[in-house]
Amino acid sequence: MEIHEALYTTRMMRRLRPDPIPLNTQARILDAAVRAPNGGNTQRWHFLAVDDPELKRALAQLFREARAVEYERFAGGTGPMVAPAPGADPTQHAETMRRIKGSGDYLADHFEDVPLLLFVFAIDDLGGANIYPAIWSALLAARAEGVGGVMTMVLRNVEDRVSEMLGVPLAEGWKMSAMLALGYPRGKWGVAANRLPVQEVSSRNRWGAPFGVEVPQPLWPHDYLAPDLATVG
């Protein structure tokens, strides 16, 4: 797969088929992930793959509990992404949140059926600078294999219980960074159509100054030096 196709069409997939992911496919995904850059090449990461049905059922219960708490906070106005971004349309934001919750509900309801749960742990990774490149590499590699997935941090709300269940050596400093739910998607890949254009979310040299070029449409699969790019004076 050409790299720009992966970059433009990888999206979070929460509706996944229960079909198992072959071990050699999993190996290619993780082999790509561990090639990601990390500070000092210290590789302070650990990837814990979970596909045991009984363990997934126990984790599903924790996931639903943790998600219920999160959405209670959301309903009370204190949850994640409650307020729209500055300048965003509140109605459109509310619709986006409704759709996200709908797909999230599907993941919660079918959590036991997700073929692979990939827990990602790190040590002393302030801000995620070392682990998130590896996570994104894993998702891009999965896309190249036809595997979809979503990164979720919901289980960090009950991290102690998850860590105990998985036998994580917390005394060594390991912390859960995220969990990836991976499987063959029920939905379709595609370029996200509802993104603000580059010039509306970028500036140059000083906040609010023109970025210098306008991008009226996605540049893939178009030429990267497309003649219709308008230079801002």
Side-chain angles (χ1 to χ4, degrees), residues 29-30 33-34 36 43-50 116-123 125 128 130-139 150-153 155-156 159 162-163 166 168 170 173-182:
I29 292 171
L30 283 177
V34 301
Q43 303 176 60
R44 291 180 288 189
W45 49 38
H46 188 87
F47 305 88
L48 201 166
V50 173
L116 181 63
L117 307 176
L118 186 61
F119 288 84
V120 186
F121 296 87
I123 290 178
D125 189 21
N130 291 320
I131 198 61
Y132 288 118
I135 289 174
W136 188 233
S137 288
L139 288 168
V150 62
M151 179 179 72
T152 174
M153 299 179 183
L155 283 171
R156 294 206 307 190
E159 181 174 355
V162 172
S163 296
L166 299 179
V168 179
L170 298 179
W174 293 103
K175 297 284 293 179
M176 187 197 307
S177 298
M179 187 207 77
L180 307 183
L182 297 173

Side-chain angles (χ1 to χ4, degrees), residues 21-214:
I21 302 172
L23 281 178
N24 58 353
T25 302
Q26 297 181 32
R28 286 193 293 270
I29 292 171
L30 283 177
D31 191 51
V34 301
R35 310 298 159 183
N38 62 100
N41 195 31
T42 55
Q43 303 176 60
R44 291 180 288 189
W45 49 38
H46 188 87
F47 305 88
L48 201 166
V50 173
D51 57 8
D52 177 77
E54 184 176 347
L55 189 52
K56 287 193 295 182
R57 282 192 292 271
L59 288 166
Q61 183 59 38
L62 287 182
F63 185 85
R64 287 190 274 264
E65 288 179 20
R67 191 166 180 273
V69 171
E70 189 168 277
Y71 272 91
E72 281 178 13
R73 294 200 300 264
F74 187 90
T78 60
M81 299 185 295
V82 171
D89 180 0
T91 301
Q92 184 177 15
H93 175 76
E95 173 60 18
T96 298
M97 292 299 99
R98 185 194 66 78
R99 286 174 31 240
I100 289 176
K101 185 178 185 302
S103 62
D105 287 345
Y106 184 95
L107 176 62
D109 292 341
H110 297 82
F111 196 92
E112 299 93 332
D113 300 326
V114 174
L116 181 63
L117 307 176
L118 186 61
F119 288 84
V120 186
F121 296 87
I123 290 178
D124 191 26
D125 189 21
L126 183 62
N130 291 320
I131 198 61
Y132 288 118
I135 289 174
W136 188 233
S137 288
L139 288 168
L140 290 174
R143 169 69 183 95
E145 299 283 348
V147 173
V150 62
M151 179 179 72
T152 174
M153 299 179 183
V154 169
L155 283 171
R156 294 206 307 190
N157 294 328
V158 289
E159 181 174 355
D160 289 346
R161 295 165 66 187
V162 172
S163 296
E164 181 180 0
M165 190 178 294
L166 299 179
V168 179
L170 298 179
E172 296 178 7
W174 293 103
K175 297 284 293 179
M176 187 197 307
S177 298
M179 187 207 77
L180 307 183
L182 297 173
Y184 296 100
R186 296 183 182 275
K188 296 180 179 180
W189 309 104
V191 179
N194 59 345
R195 294 292 192 270
L196 294 172
V198 170
Q199 67 273 10
E200 291 189 21
V201 295
S202 309
S203 48
R204 189 179 303 279
N205 297 323
R206 186 175 179 83
W207 188 285
F211 175 68
V213 66
E214 293 187 356

Side-chain angles (χ1 to χ4, degrees), residues 1-11 136 140 143:
M1 174 178 289
E2 197 268 331
I3 187 171
H4 289 98
E5 180 179 358
L7 288 168
Y8 272 73
T9 63
T10 299
R11 50 186 288 244
W136 188 233
L140 290 174
R143 169 69 183 95

